[in-house]
C-alpha cells in the first residue's frame, strides 16, 4: 500500500529534511541526528479523529496518456474486496518550538494525472496588511516550491506591483532549474545511492533508530485501516489527482493542494 511503500520511508525523509534544524556539521550522523529529533516530535496520529488527519483511496477506471485503464480491484492478482490503498494523504503536526501549530500535508498515489515529487512551502500571511485599503481581497501567500522529480529546481512565487501609478499587484515567479542552469543531468537516485554505498557515505541512508520510530508512528494507522470495514472505499479516477476526500481534508483548513 501507499503508506508502507511511500510514506514510511520517502515522504517521512522529506518531512524531516524540511523541518530539521541546521546540523552542526555536514556529516552523516549530525544530519541524521537532526532528522531523528524531528521524527520524535511528530504528534501521534489520533485514531479517534482519523478522518480529519488521514485519507486513503484506490484508483478506479480512467484514462492514462489517452488509453483506458482498469479499476485497481480488477487488476490481475488483486482481491475484489482489497483494502490495499493506492493513495494516501496525511496531516501531521510537529510539536516543537519552531513548528508548533504548523500543519504538514503529505500525499502520494498511483495512477495520478502527473508523476511529480515536490515540496511546497506556503508562507504565513503577515500579521498586519499595510495595503489593505488598496488591495481588495488580500494577497496570495508567498510559496517556495522545491522540485525533486522529474525536473530538479527551486521556484519562489510572490506578489509584485505592476508598472504604473495605479496600485495593483500580480503573482510572479523566480524559477531556477538545475538542467537549464548547469546544462547537465543529475545522477539517477539509485545511481547516487550505489555510489555513496561504495564510498561508505551514509548521509542519505536511514539509520536504525529512525526506521523504528517511523514505523511506530505509522503502524497504528495501518492496523486501524486493516481492521476497519470499507464498504465504500474512497475511489478516484485514474488520471486524476486523488479522491475528493483528500481535497476536503486540506480544504477544511482553508487551503488547497498545489497542482504540479
Amino acid at each position: 500500500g501507499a503508506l508502507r511503500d511511500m510514506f514510511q520511508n520517502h515522504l517521512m525523509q522529506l518531512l524531516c529534511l524540511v523541518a530539521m534544524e541546521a546540523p552542526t556539521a555536514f556529516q552523516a550522523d549530525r544530519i541524521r541526528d537532526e532528522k531523528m529529533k524531528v521524527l520524535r516530535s511528530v504528534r501521534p496520529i489520533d485514531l479517534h479523529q482519523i478522518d480529519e488527519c488521514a485519507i486513503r483511496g484506490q484508483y478506479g477506471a480512467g484514462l492514462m496518456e489517452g488509453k483506458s485503464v482498469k479499476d485497481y480491484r480488477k487488476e490481475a492478482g488483486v482481491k475484489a474486496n482489497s483494502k490495499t490503498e493506492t493513495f494516501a494523504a496525511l496531516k501531521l503536526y510537529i510539536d516543537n518550538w519552531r513548528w508548533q501549530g504548523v500543519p504538514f500535508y503529505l500525499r502520494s498515489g498511483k495512477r495520478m494525472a502527473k508523476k511529480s515529487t515536490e515540496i511546497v512551502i506556503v508562507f504565513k500571511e503577515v500579521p498586519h496588511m499595510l495595503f489593505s485599503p488598496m488591495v481588495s481581497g488580500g494577497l496570495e501567500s508567498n510559496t517556495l516550491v522545491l522540485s525533486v522529480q522529474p525536473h530538479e529546481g527551486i521556484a519562489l512565487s510572490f506578489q509584485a506591483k505592476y508598472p504604473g501609478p495605479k496600485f495593483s499587484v500580480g503573482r510572479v515567479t523566480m524559477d531556477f532549474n538545475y538542467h537549464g542552469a548547469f546544462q547537465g543531468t543529475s545522477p539517477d537516485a539509485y545511481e547516487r545511492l550505489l555510489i555513496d554505498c561504495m564510498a561508505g557515505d551514509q548521509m542519505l541512508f536511514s539509520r536504525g533508530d529512525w526506521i523504528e520510530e517511523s514505523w511506530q508512528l505509522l503502524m497504528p494507522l495501518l492496523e486501524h485501516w486493516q481492521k476497519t470495514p470499507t464498504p465504500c472505499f474512497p475511489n478516484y479516477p485514474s488520471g486524476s489527482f486523488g479522491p475528493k476526500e483528500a481535497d476536503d481534508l486540506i480544504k477544511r483548513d482553508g487551503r488547497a493542494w498545489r497542482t504540479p
Side-chain angles (χ1 to χ4, degrees), residues 14 68 142 150 174-175 212 251 257:
L14 293 178
S68 298
N142 296 339
M174 297 172 61
D175 198 351
E212 291 179 4
K251 188 177 181 180
W257 300 107

Side-chain angles (χ1 to χ4, degrees), residues 1-15:
L3 211 63
R4 293 179 185 271
D5 185 35
M6 295 301 297
F7 281 75
Q8 182 274 329
N9 42 36
H10 302 299
L11 291 186
M12 298 307 294
Q13 283 282 353
L14 293 178
L15 171 68

Side-chain angles (χ1 to χ4, degrees), residues 165-213:
K166 185 179 179 180
F167 191 90
S168 57
V169 296
R171 193 170 182 81
V172 297
T173 300
M174 297 172 61
D175 198 351
F176 162 72
N177 179 275
Y178 271 93
H179 177 73
F182 300 115
Q183 301 301 312
T185 57
S186 300
D188 179 78
Y190 289 104
E191 180 183 356
R192 171 66 188 275
L193 289 177
L194 288 171
I195 292 172
D196 288 350
C197 185
M198 289 186 286
D201 185 349
Q202 300 180 3
M203 189 175 299
L204 298 179
F205 292 85
S206 299
R207 203 165 61 189
D209 55 350
W210 188 96
I211 294 173
E212 291 179 4
E213 192 73 26

Side-chain angles (χ1 to χ4, degrees), residues 2 14 29 31 89 149 154 168 218 257:
L14 293 178
D29 274 341
I31 290 176
Q149 287 181 338
I154 303 171
S168 57
L218 294 177
W257 300 107

Side-chain angles (χ1 to χ4, degrees), residues 36 39-40 208-218:
M36 193 63 197
L39 199 58
R40 284 175 175 157
D209 55 350
W210 188 96
I211 294 173
E212 291 179 4
E213 192 73 26
S214 64
W215 278 119
Q216 287 181 14
L217 176 67
L218 294 177

Side-chain angles (χ1 to χ4, degrees), residues 2 4 20 25 29 44-45 66 86 116-117 122 130 174 189 198 210 239 248:
R4 293 179 185 271
M20 74 181 196
D29 274 341
I45 297 170
T86 63
S116 177
T117 303
V122 180
L130 296 176
M174 297 172 61
M198 289 186 286
W210 188 96
D248 294 339

